Amino acid sequence: MLFGRRKKNPIKLPDKGVVEWRYTTCGYCSTGCSIEVGLNREGKAVAARGVGNADVNRGKLCIKGILEYELFETPGRGRVPLMRERITEPFREASWDEALDRTAAEIQRIQDAYGRDAFAIVSTGQIMTEEFYTLGKLARGVIGTNNYDGNTTLCMSSAVSGYKRSFGSDGPPGCYEDFEHTHCLLAFGSNLPEQHPVIYWRMREARERRKFPLIVVDPRVTMLAQNADMHLPINPGTDVVLLNSLAHVILKEGLHDPDYIAAHTTGFEEFKALVEQYDPRTASKICGIDEDTIRNVARVFGKAPAAMTIWTMGINQSTHGSDGVVAINNLHLITGNIGKPGAAPMSITGQSNAMGTREWSSCSGLPGYRYLENPEHRREIAEFWGIDEEFLPKKRGMFMTDILPAIETGQIKGMWLIATNPMTSMANTARIRRTLERLEFLVVQDAYADVETNEYSHVYLPAALWAEKQGCFTNTERRVNLVRNVMPPHGDSKPDFWIFNEMAKRIQREKKPHFPETTEQVFEEMKQLSKGEGRILDISGMSYEKIEKARGLQWPCREGQEKGDQRLYTDGVFQHPDGKAKLIPLPFEDNNERPDEEYPLWLNSGRVVEHFHTRTRTGKIGNQNKFSPTPYMEINPDTAAELGIRHGEYARVVSRRGDAIVMAQCTQRVPRNMIFIPFHYHECVNRVSLGLLDPHSRQPAYKQCAVRVEKIEDQAAAAKLNLAARAY
Ligand code: SF4
């Protein structure tokens, strides 16, 4: 009998007739993989492959990147602008001039009638950095609204806020190569294999070569937790307590670095007095991790020659999100684990260019990590743009999560949404629907006309997608990479950059900044603004050509530098005026909704590997969507049995806000007092979520609220409702 490979056909890759490969950067997550899209003889995108000599991904791509080339021809794309007088009427097709003129006129009408800030702009983390900079110039320097933000408030603003509070500036201090040097990796609320598969692969490869302990803190047994040396199933929303307790043990057992603390930090005595209260016994009663484990983890971290922490939404999406980030920074500062190989508090960003908006969009301040609150920064930018300094506000306006409630109270009358979909992404869907209906004018700018939020718009502007245009993305390790345009824009859609420039021409102001005609010219302008003594966000040593040749360059990359710096704060000098980092005491206040008799289960939410955000793109790609086409919940088999719910049946999830129909997936990945629902589906998890806001970052606590689960007798009717949430 013959066994094995001799009888099998060799693996044969289908010949897709690629005649040309074009370089670009993946447009989904913040890993920043370099990708080549293959075009056939007819100029159609038919394949994609990872770029072998790109340091980030070294030839690898995840399922999203591999199938990304299919996006160019997905259904639902916008071809032409659409307009209507009232949202109850059907859209009619319009010319670009008509749509842009009407939008500009509505912006000015609303501002004249109610004040400049009555018109809000909310953008995204997914357009090019040059587009962000141009939009910032338009929003701050021409339209002049202070209610301008990005949807990054939903995912990364806690990280931004935490970095600023500790170090005086945003900017993840480490890099992927740190996995190759670290002696301890602590991962908080970060399911790397599903969220950032290629970063996971980099970490796993480093760990296979040089075994180092991986400690995962997550209420759920995620894929990363399954691969960890230790898994700490923490009570939701109590990370600050655990982190304070780890610091307590480190200080008690003399595992801290007194020289680093003395030379590079302030606030040590106040910090020490606070963490004194968080002994492991007291902390264990709140965070649910036993005291021996707390001591053990503190010792592993404290004794490591270099220790690293990564985190994602598990920390950020909490009422203590910003404090959680500061608590991680505290731990790194007291042990001197920053600015050296293998030692970094490293937030893993979500969207492909969430970093680009943090750096250059002027959402939270002014370009290049400048602050509206700093008169010198206002003067510098006003001079550079050629506008009156007084035109710029003296402090930042509302966050996205405050803009929507301000529509309810009548402060905001009009809004421009750019590549963001609050009807699916914001907590409490019913409330968001009522909110959007109140607007006098809503313009939606998106690559997809069928994005759920567009049901509430008066004007729809079809935007070009990802590699239908050109510009830069910055990834999680501060690496700027180039998105080359692979295809022309779909139909009569236009690059966001073109739309912003056209809008700038139509808004009447006495003094206006200059708007360059190409993204490369914009990049050169940003380089000028990035130069300066002590500025960490310096890109003056970069050019499009250099970036593409290097397959991405990290900042700071100063004039004359061949490559950028891999790490920040290597000299121990931080961005606070005294050059020191702050150790900040963090008392814990339990202020979230908690399970009770009526709603006895925690609801946790997160991602699956096949989908990206609100599925506007990935839901349209058949080979991707087929893996998770259905809104579902993970439920512990014991809990399901108690409720009489069987694996694969539909069930109703109910909270104080509303209800959702999901399919039950029985699994031990969640404890008995918790369910987990992926957040990608429309009319699903956010029908029930609460989303209380963090006081510093205004980021919603999507991951913690109380629900109950009910059995549904009429499964056929439930299937129909569940189908409605699949949308595509
Ligand atoms: Fe794209 Fe992120 Fe996947 Fe890389 S890991 S291919 S950047 S989605």
Side-chain angles (χ1 to χ4, degrees):
M1 198 180 201
L2 280 172
F3 291 100
R5 303 186 64 82
R6 266 188 296 161
K7 284 289 275 179
K8 286 186 180 164
N9 293 329
I11 294 167
K12 206 173 161 198
L13 292 175
D15 180 3
K16 294 187 169 177
V18 173
V19 293
E20 185 189 353
W21 291 98
R22 289 203 184 153
Y23 181 85
T24 192
T25 303
C26 178
Y28 283 117
C29 88
S30 70
T31 303
C33 297
S34 292
I35 180 169
E36 281 178 334
V37 176
L39 305 181
N40 69 9
R41 222 171 277 286
E42 288 76 46
K44 189 174 149 97
V46 289
R49 65 183 185 192
V51 176
N53 64 350
D55 186 54
V56 166
N57 52 316
R58 301 170 186 178
K60 299 266 191 300
L61 293 176
C62 78
I63 181 172
K64 289 190 278 288
I66 289 168
L67 297 172
E68 200 168 8
Y69 71 92
E70 292 192 20
L71 278 179
F72 298 116
E73 295 195 355
T74 40
R77 291 289 309 274
R79 277 183 317 103
V80 289
L82 303 172
M83 278 172 55
R84 58 185 167 185
E85 286 309 309
R86 276 173 286 278
I87 59 170
T88 46
E89 296 169 357
F91 278 119
R92 68 172 175 84
E93 293 191 356
S95 70
W96 272 103
D97 276 339
E98 258 185 298
L100 291 168
D101 287 348
R102 173 153 177 227
T103 302
E106 282 292 320
I107 293 172
Q108 295 210 286
R109 178 189 67 77
I110 287 169
Q111 291 191 314
D112 291 347
Y114 308 106
R116 284 208 326 239
D117 292 341
F119 190 84
I121 302 174
V122 179
S123 83
T124 178
Q126 288 167 58
I127 57 176
M128 314 294 168
T129 308
E130 298 83 344
E131 294 177 325
F132 280 129
Y133 173 75
T134 305
L135 174 62
K137 201 193 266 187
L138 173 64
R140 297 263 179 233
V142 181
I143 295 175
T145 175
N146 197 16
N147 294 323
Y148 160 50
D149 196 24
N151 65 11
T152 39
T153 289
L154 309 184
C155 54
M156 290 317 295
S157 63
S158 291
V160 174
S161 159
Y163 280 142
K164 283 181 178 172
R165 289 165 71 197
S166 298
F167 307 141
S169 172
D170 185 20
C175 59
Y176 303 156
E177 204 199 275
D178 282 326
F179 294 129
E180 286 156 36
H181 303 284
T182 197
H183 293 261
C184 170
L185 179 62
L186 198 51
F188 276 87
S190 175
N191 187 15
L192 219 47
E194 294 208 68
Q195 295 161 347
H196 300 88
V198 171
I199 301 182
Y200 172 66
W201 165 73
R202 288 281 305 260
M203 187 280 289
R204 203 188 60 187
E205 208 186 47
R207 197 156 158 256
E208 275 169 7
R209 271 205 302 269
R210 200 181 45 79
K211 182 79 182 141
F212 55 81
L214 168 63
I215 301 158
V216 172
V217 184
D218 204 303
R220 179 169 162 252
V221 189
T222 59
M223 275 194 208
L224 189 66
Q226 284 171 308
N227 286 286
D229 296 293
M230 290 177 82
H231 172 218
L232 279 54
I234 192 168
N235 288 336
T238 61
D239 310 86
V240 170
V241 176
L242 174 64
L243 283 153
N244 278 344
S245 191
L246 294 175
H248 174 103
V249 176
I250 284 171
L251 294 180
K252 270 275 174 311
E253 300 194 3
L255 302 173
H256 57 297
D257 183 341
D259 293 342
Y260 191 90
I261 294 169
H264 303 295
T265 71
T266 56
F268 178 65
E269 290 308 322
E270 295 86 340
F271 171 74
K272 190 176 161 202
L274 188 280
V275 297
E276 180 66 36
Q277 301 164 31
Y278 289 82
D279 61 277
R281 185 165 299 174
T282 307
S284 71
K285 293 194 175 71
I286 306 169
C287 70
I289 306 301
D290 69 86
E291 50 184 301
D292 283 343
T293 301
I294 295 176
R295 286 199 184 87
N296 199 1
V297 171
R299 286 169 193 150
V300 173
F301 189 94
K303 288 178 184 172
M308 188 172 175
T309 304
I310 56 170
W311 74 92
T312 318
M313 297 311 138
I315 286 282
N316 291 346
Q317 289 180 339
S318 155
T319 48
H320 308 94
S322 174
D323 280 359
V325 175
V326 171
I328 288 169
N329 296 339
N330 284 340
L331 203 63
H332 279 259
L333 288 168
I334 61 168
T335 52
N337 272 306
I338 186 163
K340 61 182 187 183
M346 187 77 180
S347 64
I348 309 283
T349 307
Q351 304 178 74
S352 54
N353 203 20
M355 281 297 293
T357 182
R358 284 156 67 168
E359 296 158 8
W360 290 103
S361 73
S362 307
C363 273
S364 63
L366 289 167
Y369 286 162
R370 289 173 175 84
Y371 291 93
L372 281 161
E373 292 77 7
N374 184 325
E376 188 47 45
H377 291 174
R378 289 200 304 275
R379 191 162 31 254
E380 204 183 341
I381 292 300
E383 219 167 84
F384 192 84
W385 284 351
I387 60 168
D388 282 338
E389 198 184 316
E390 287 306 309
F391 194 71
L392 296 172
K394 294 183 177 56
K395 60 176 188 178
R396 79 167 288 178
M398 294 181 203
F399 290 70
M400 177 185 185
T401 42
D402 293 312
I403 287 173
L404 281 122
I407 297 170
E408 285 178 331
T409 55
Q411 288 164 273
I412 303 287
K413 301 285 188 184
M415 184 159 66
W416 184 0
L417 293 177
I418 298 146
T420 190
N421 186 15
M423 271 305 294
T424 299
S425 62
M426 294 282 286
N428 200 342
T429 311
R431 185 176 171 194
I432 298 300
R433 179 180 293 112
R434 288 195 300 274
T435 302
L436 294 178
E437 283 171 351
R438 287 181 67 104
L439 284 166
E440 287 185 15
F441 180 74
L442 174 65
V443 50
V444 167
Q445 178 172 325
D446 202 290
Y448 288 87
D450 65 355
V451 64
E452 289 87 12
T453 305
N454 202 25
E455 286 172 32
Y456 303 87
S457 78
H458 299 86
V459 172
Y460 164 72
L461 304 175
L465 181 86
W466 172 52
E468 291 172 348
K469 49 188 186 171
Q470 174 164 283
C472 291
F473 286 162
T474 309
N475 78 352
T476 278
E477 56 168 0
R478 310 179 323 281
R479 189 181 297 271
V480 178
N481 208 344
L482 202 56
V483 181
R484 287 280 190 204
N485 56 330
V486 168
M487 299 287 280
H490 174 77
D492 196 24
S493 65
K494 302 283 186 195
D496 299 271
F497 177 67
W498 181 90
I499 299 172
F500 301 145
N501 274 3
E502 288 298 312
M503 197 64 79
K505 287 179 198 162
R506 286 167 167 81
I507 305 279
Q508 304 305 318
R509 296 281 180 239
E510 233 172 78
K511 285 186 183 171
K512 276 200 216 175
H514 167 68
F515 286 79
E517 278 171 16
T518 67
T519 53
E520 195 160 4
Q521 287 165 353
V522 174
F523 191 78
E524 292 301 314
E525 187 172 314
M526 288 157 45
K527 279 166 63 175
Q528 296 301 314
L529 272 177
S530 78
K531 274 189 218 169
E533 186 78 16
R535 299 199 68 79
I536 55 171
L537 175 48
D538 190 334
I539 57 167
S540 58
M542 298 184 190
S543 68
Y544 272 18
E545 201 191 331
K546 245 175 105 174
I547 294 168
E548 183 172 348
K549 203 164 147 218
R551 278 42 179 128
L553 289 169
Q554 283 175 281
W555 62 255
C557 181
R558 300 175 189 87
E559 213 164 19
Q561 243 182 307
E562 201 43 47
K563 285 175 81 178
D565 294 354
Q566 282 186 296
R567 298 174 187 88
L568 301 180
Y569 312 127
T570 48
D571 54 1
V573 177
F574 293 87
Q575 293 284 299
H576 284 301
D578 60 3
K580 300 207 173 178
K582 285 185 181 162
L583 286 166
I584 301 172
L586 302 161
F588 176 74
E589 196 191 326
D590 194 355
N591 58 0
N592 212 334
E593 184 178 62
R594 298 182 68 79
D596 54 21
E597 247 177 60
E598 206 181 342
Y599 300 97
L601 302 170
W602 282 109
L603 168 62
N604 186 359
S605 65
R607 303 166 207 236
V608 296
V609 68
E610 303 85 20
H611 284 306
F612 189 76
H613 284 203
T614 63
R615 284 197 327 146
T616 313
R617 287 177 281 175
T618 51
K620 313 272 178 42
I621 297 180
N623 277 333
Q624 223 159 306
N625 196 38
K626 71 183 180 191
F627 293 109
S628 308
T630 304
Y632 70 91
M633 71 170 158
E634 290 180 357
I635 184 168
N636 187 284
D638 293 343
T639 313
E642 271 170 29
L643 296 166
I645 295 167
R646 282 183 310 193
H647 184 80
E649 271 185 2
Y650 294 105
R652 176 178 287 109
V653 178
V654 188
S655 77
R656 290 182 177 85
R657 274 72 55 193
D659 63 350
I661 308 294
V662 288
M663 184 184 273
Q665 300 279 322
C666 295
T667 169
Q668 302 282 358
R669 286 175 80 167
V670 284
R672 295 181 62 162
N673 66 347
M674 181 182 291
I675 60 164
F676 169 86
I677 302 181
F679 64 55
H680 309 287
Y681 304 95
H682 181 55
E683 296 285 359
C684 189
V685 72
N686 283 329
R687 285 172 63 95
V688 287
S689 62
L690 171 58
L692 287 178
L693 301 180
D694 177 280
H696 297 277
S697 67
R698 311 304 287 158
Q699 182 158 349
Y702 283 118
K703 288 180 168 286
Q704 302 114 32
C705 75
V707 295
R708 68 168 178 266
V709 173
E710 295 173 354
K711 182 178 170 61
I712 298 177
E713 296 302 338
D714 188 345
Q715 287 289 305
K720 277 189 201 153
L721 285 168
N722 180 268
L723 199 63
R726 297 184 202 180
Y728 310 117

